[in-house]
Amino acid sequence: MSEPMVELRGVTFGYGATPAVEDINLHLHRGQFAGLVGPSGAGKTTLLRLILGLLTPARGRVFVEGMDLRGKPSPCVAYVPQIETMDWNFPATVLQVVLMGRIRRMGRRPWANRDDARAARAVLERLEIGDLGARHIRDLSGGQQQRVFLARALLAEPDLLVLDEPTAGVDLQTQENILHWLAFLNQGGMTILMTTHDLNAAAAHLPWVFVVNRQLVASGEPDKVFTPEILNPTYKGT
Ligand code: ADP
């Protein structure tokens, strides 16, 4: 099999004395669409931040496309943060936010050129928010905001798209739309990793899940992994 897109080897990290994630071994292969699932506080966001190179493991190593990150972000990864954690006072229009996805390509050039603007408009059209370019991000619905940040990530043309709780804080219809969009992008070849605490949505939409609760509890197809014991840790059988 080809080299994994993401590989964690014995990764442990804690903010204080207690580890938030402990001895995690995980492989995400090119072309996979997978969820990091688990209850609140299980360490999902911490794992994402380790994979993004925003945190450095206390023990173990994180590889992205074979490169040992050592706490440095990989250029082939794009990130969609949780919209609930965003500062909405940031004064920017939709087009400006989306163009930030192009920063790495702009290099020393501090402005977007015509190609960047054309690419940004095309990606907004693709996500069916082509008419929102001039609007302030603060004035959009949660679902629209989520698509703006997805558009920004797509403009970077990443090999791996990482999303933190993309279905949190939006209505059910928008949740379905987002998950369909992600499936569509994955069919086009993009590798996708997202966190969710919503086991039902994960079971219905994700082809692969990693269940975490400080440690990696299980991984596989949701219908094989979501045993009664995982869905309800106090389950003792009938
Ligand atoms: P999840 O994303 O699954 O809800 P997190 O990765 O956010 O879990 O959190 C895992 C554990 O680490 C929790 O016990 C949480 O309280 C703790 N934690 C998360 N971020 C911080 C931080 N910045 N400082 C201290 N503790 C944190």
Side-chain angles (χ1 to χ4, degrees), residues 80 83-84 86 88 97 129 132 136-151 169-170:
V80 180
I83 55 167
E84 287 177 334
M86 295 296 299
W88 295 111
V97 170
I129 47 171
L132 299 183
H136 193 292
I137 45 166
R138 191 181 45 209
D139 303 330
L140 307 182
S141 71
Q144 290 169 330
Q145 286 166 345
Q146 189 63 267
R147 279 195 253 182
V148 171
F149 286 94
L150 184 54
V170 296

Side-chain angles (χ1 to χ4, degrees), residues 114-193:
R114 225 179 302 167
D115 282 348
D116 297 324
R118 197 176 304 133
R121 288 208 184 82
V123 85
L124 286 173
E125 290 290 336
R126 228 171 119 196
L127 293 174
E128 296 165 2
I129 47 171
D131 53 336
L132 299 183
R135 293 268 294 276
H136 193 292
I137 45 166
R138 191 181 45 209
D139 303 330
L140 307 182
S141 71
Q144 290 169 330
Q145 286 166 345
Q146 189 63 267
R147 279 195 253 182
V148 171
F149 286 94
L150 184 54
R152 180 180 70 167
L154 294 181
L155 203 64
E157 297 176 356
D159 295 332
L160 170 65
L161 179 63
V162 171
L163 308 97
D164 199 359
E165 295 279 356
T167 54
V170 296
D171 60 71
L172 265 180
Q173 182 58 52
T174 307
Q175 285 181 20
E176 293 265 314
N177 291 346
I178 289 168
L179 289 163
H180 281 128
W181 266 109
L182 295 178
F184 176 76
L185 291 170
N186 174 247
Q187 279 153 21
M190 195 174 285
T191 310
I192 301 178
L193 180 65

Side-chain angles (χ1 to χ4, degrees), residues 15 20 38-47:
Y15 298 91
S40 182
K44 303 182 294 296
T45 303
T46 304
L47 270 183

Side-chain angles (χ1 to χ4, degrees), residues 31-35 179 182-183 186-187 192 194 201-210 219-225:
Q32 267 193 298
F33 177 16
L179 289 163
L182 295 178
N186 174 247
Q187 279 153 21
I192 301 178
M194 58 171 268
H205 294 277
L206 300 181
W208 194 266
V209 290
F210 299 102
S219 65
E221 294 163 16
D223 55 348
K224 301 212 173 69
V225 162

